[in-house]
Amino acid sequence: MFIVYSLIWRWVAEGYAHEEPGKGLFEVGERYFNMLIDRSMILAVEEPYHNIIYACRVHDLVLDMIHFLSEDKSFVTASNSNRTFPRTTTRRLAINNEVIEQDGSVANSSMQQVRSYNAIMCHFRVLPLLSNFKALRVLALEECTFMGSKQFSMKPEDYPYHLKHLGRLIHLRYLGISYQLESLEVPDEIGDLRFLQVLELGRSGIKKLPQSVGRLTQLKCLHFGGSSMGVLDWTNLTSLEALQLHHVSPDFLKGLGTLKELRELNLHFGEHNNMLFKDLMGRLVNLQKLQVIVVICWYQEDPEPWSDYAGSVALGHLRHLTVCGLLPGLPVWINSSCLPNLCHLSMQLKAMESQDMEILGRFSELITLCIHCKDGVVFPHTMEGAFPKLRHLGLRNSNQPRFVRGVMSSLECFEFTGLVRANGLDFHSLAIRSHLPSLEEVDAEFEGKTGMDSDVRQATLRHWRQARASLKHAVEIHPNHPALTSRGRQMDD
């Protein structure tokens, strides 16, 4: 199985996707991917109830054909043993679950013809000497580890797994590193890779990037999980289509408005304040190609630093919006007029009004909705025709959910987390076929404050049993007999 996102960016780096008027390279690659699905060459793996294809696989017969053609045409050489010598005509080398020793054939072989070097779940004692590669376009180390890395007591640039001579890979388009790569650092010479298009370091353990990254004018995708991103000069990175950064400083926002080609934006802020959020929302207005926005801010229990942004954030292409940070209420710009194509919405709120669910119900394309609301989600008595395409609903810290006829008629999965109280939870509306005719799965978690007092603990357990019994009964009498998962969770006082 292959993750679609990474696969398409590999195609871009290999030169299989070509520019088309009005479309980015990733969008062209997506069209190729969909064509392969339509022709049954690859099989899509869809995230349940989300209408999102996140991975793909191939039938065994197709896989055998791929292996045969790859070997016959010397397209890819797959090495599964440290003793396997790659052919002199090898253009693409794939290594899976190997131990790469100091004197291993793969590590020391001169690979002047190799265009793509892919290592998956390998254990390195030494990296191949990068200066051996003359035509490399793709360098990918996925879920790899370095053995004995803690035993070395030397400068990082002297480690045998340091990216020494990285700047000599003048044809490199794709650099991807993930998982347990201790003490690995990116050298300043990365700025010399003027053709680099994809820098995938989201799970690499690398702590910082050199300022020379700001010289990568052809960069289209940057995923990085480290910090100190505010020091980079973003004015030259105007080709970026996808950007994911962790521990972002407020200084980063100064250059955000220049990245007008962005389709995907994923930001994690180490802290938040009122002005930071307003500044971010104000700059997003200029990024009209955005399709995905994920903003995560580590917040305290007090939501006061967040205030609503009163401006208009009209993004006609936006399909996915996640705001993980406690907002006092539903922002005014989250409505079907500003975001007409929104399909997936997830957010954390302090409180909701009854009209808020009515506003959300007008999103005609909404497929998934996840709301974490401290004070509970308020369901109005009537919302006829609301949420016409919603397939997945997740409510956390919610009060009594109430479903009515003609609302969420396409709902297939309902996830619920609620605090049980003395009055219990009655799931009667969940049981009526005409209310949720498409329901297939229910996942519920009941929370209760048990404390140390035995009477409180016994009362909470009793409330849990009552809520579970009500939910079980509702599921059993529903004509679809949806699958049920229920559990209880203790909360501290």
Side-chain angles (χ1 to χ4, degrees):
M1 190 165 65
F2 210 108
I3 304 302
V4 172
Y5 192 87
S6 178
L7 175 63
I8 294 178
W9 279 121
R10 300 280 185 91
W11 289 351
V12 170
E14 290 274 11
Y16 302 144
H18 303 284
E19 292 277 6
E20 294 181 4
K23 290 186 178 294
L25 287 174
F26 188 87
E27 291 177 293
V28 174
E30 277 186 311
R31 184 166 62 82
Y32 295 168
F33 179 82
N34 292 329
M35 289 171 60
L36 291 174
I37 292 178
D38 293 340
R39 297 176 183 180
S40 300
M41 296 296 292
I42 59 177
L43 305 175
V45 180
E46 182 177 319
E47 186 174 352
Y49 314 115
H50 282 65
N51 281 18
I52 295 177
I53 298 174
Y54 72 94
C56 65
R57 55 190 179 88
V58 296
H59 192 277
D60 289 345
L61 293 176
V62 176
L63 183 59
D64 290 340
M65 180 186 69
I66 292 174
H67 283 164
F68 173 77
L69 293 176
S70 294
E71 183 175 352
D72 184 57
K73 303 297 183 182
S74 297
F75 185 76
V76 176
T77 298
S79 173
N80 292 304
S81 169
N82 200 40
R83 296 180 298 274
T84 301
F85 283 81
R87 300 179 180 180
T88 57
T89 57
T90 294
R91 295 292 185 271
R92 296 165 185 85
L93 181 62
I95 310 169
N96 180 46
N97 198 22
E98 282 196 35
V99 175
I100 312 300
E101 298 287 354
Q102 176 73 29
D103 58 349
S105 60
V106 174
N108 290 331
S109 296
S110 179
M111 302 179 188
Q112 297 189 18
Q113 306 299 321
V114 174
R115 293 167 55 91
S116 177
Y117 183 92
N118 302 271
I120 302 175
M121 294 186 295
C122 289
H123 308 281
F124 286 91
R125 197 174 297 278
V126 61
L127 274 179
L129 188 61
L130 297 184
S131 59
N132 286 339
F133 296 96
K134 304 299 182 182
L136 197 67
R137 297 173 67 104
V138 173
L139 176 58
L141 309 175
E142 298 184 2
E143 302 183 33
C144 295
T145 59
F146 283 92
M147 302 179 298
S149 60
K150 293 182 178 179
Q151 300 175 3
F152 297 102
S153 56
M154 56 185 75
K155 296 179 181 180
E157 61 269 19
D158 295 327
Y159 282 117
Y161 48 86
H162 184 67
L163 296 175
K164 190 178 295 185
H165 307 307
L166 179 65
R168 297 186 185 182
L169 306 179
I170 59 174
H171 300 289
L172 197 67
R173 264 72 168 173
Y174 182 105
L175 175 60
I177 301 174
S178 66
Y179 279 34
Q180 311 280 328
L181 306 183
E182 301 170 3
S183 303
L184 192 67
E185 293 186 2
V186 177
D188 288 337
E189 56 189 294
I190 191 176
D192 298 332
L193 305 179
R194 58 192 184 98
F195 296 115
L196 192 67
Q197 295 176 318
V198 181
L199 185 55
E200 175 58 77
L201 303 174
R203 298 177 299 165
S204 64
I206 296 174
K207 301 303 181 182
K208 69 181 291 189
L209 290 179
Q211 294 188 12
S212 59
V213 171
R215 304 205 308 265
L216 303 176
T217 59
Q218 300 300 311
L219 201 63
K220 295 184 178 297
C221 174
L222 171 58
H223 287 180
F224 181 61
S227 59
S228 302
M229 297 306 302
V231 302
L232 291 183
D233 181 5
W234 297 90
T235 55
N236 293 324
L237 304 182
T238 55
S239 296
L240 275 175
E241 298 181 19
L243 178 61
Q244 176 182 319
L245 301 176
H246 287 222
H247 309 294
V248 179
S249 69
D251 292 339
F252 158 75
L253 298 179
K254 297 177 182 179
L256 181 60
T258 63
L259 310 181
K260 297 185 182 299
E261 298 299 316
L262 276 181
R263 296 179 306 99
E264 174 195 336
L265 179 63
N266 189 324
L267 301 178
H268 292 216
F269 291 91
E271 59 182 20
H272 69 282
N273 56 59
N274 182 33
M275 295 305 298
L276 181 94
F277 185 62
K278 284 187 175 182
D279 192 12
L280 173 62
M281 292 299 103
R283 295 177 189 275
L284 291 183
V285 178
N286 297 321
L287 308 181
Q288 289 299 310
K289 293 186 178 182
L290 276 173
Q291 298 180 19
V292 178
I293 297 176
V294 178
V295 179
I296 297 178
C297 289
W298 308 114
Y299 63 88
Q300 315 250 331
E301 288 299 317
D302 181 10
E304 291 305 319
W306 288 80
S307 69
D308 193 11
Y309 178 74
S312 175
V313 183
L315 298 171
H317 294 284
L318 194 68
R319 297 175 55 83
H320 188 141
L321 174 62
T322 296
V323 181
C324 185
L326 200 58
L327 296 166
L330 186 70
V332 296
W333 49 269
I334 297 185
N335 62 72
S336 57
S337 298
C338 293
L339 311 174
N341 293 304
L342 193 66
C343 298
H344 307 278
L345 175 61
S346 178
M347 57 186 171
Q348 294 179 320
L349 304 173
K350 173 65 172 65
M352 289 189 71
E353 305 294 337
S354 59
Q355 65 268 22
D356 291 342
M357 286 300 287
E358 294 180 1
I359 291 172
L360 297 177
R362 299 191 188 104
F363 282 98
S364 60
E365 302 299 321
L366 200 62
I367 297 172
T368 67
L369 174 63
C370 295
I371 301 176
H372 179 179
C373 186
K374 292 188 65 176
D375 293 346
V377 178
V378 180
F379 283 78
H381 292 285
T382 176
M383 298 189 301
E384 184 69 27
F387 301 101
K389 293 185 178 181
L390 194 70
R391 297 182 60 193
H392 178 274
L393 174 65
L395 303 177
R396 181 171 176 80
N397 288 1
S398 181
N399 49 16
Q400 176 65 56
R402 180 171 63 253
F403 301 97
V404 297
R405 185 192 300 270
V407 177
M408 302 184 187
S409 58
S410 299
L411 190 69
E412 297 173 340
C413 180
F414 174 48
E415 293 187 8
F416 174 81
T417 300
L419 182 64
V420 295
R421 301 179 178 86
N423 56 357
L425 292 170
D426 182 7
F427 291 93
H428 175 71
S429 66
L430 192 68
I432 304 175
R433 171 65 179 266
S434 60
H435 289 184
L436 298 174
S438 303
L439 192 63
E440 296 179 358
E441 182 178 343
V442 177
D443 188 324
E445 182 176 34
F446 303 109
E447 297 179 341
K449 294 185 177 180
T450 58
M452 299 300 294
D453 187 278
S454 60
D455 292 338
V456 173
R457 184 162 54 251
Q458 291 300 320
T460 298
L461 293 175
R462 185 171 60 254
H463 300 154
W464 277 351
R465 287 193 291 267
Q466 293 172 351
R468 284 176 169 175
S470 174
L471 178 59
K472 182 179 179 181
H473 177 70
V475 168
E476 288 176 344
I477 65 176
H478 191 286
N480 292 352
H481 303 296
L484 172 63
T485 302
S486 65
R487 57 199 175 277
R489 185 170 75 93
Q490 174 181 330
M491 297 175 62
D492 296 330
D493 288 333

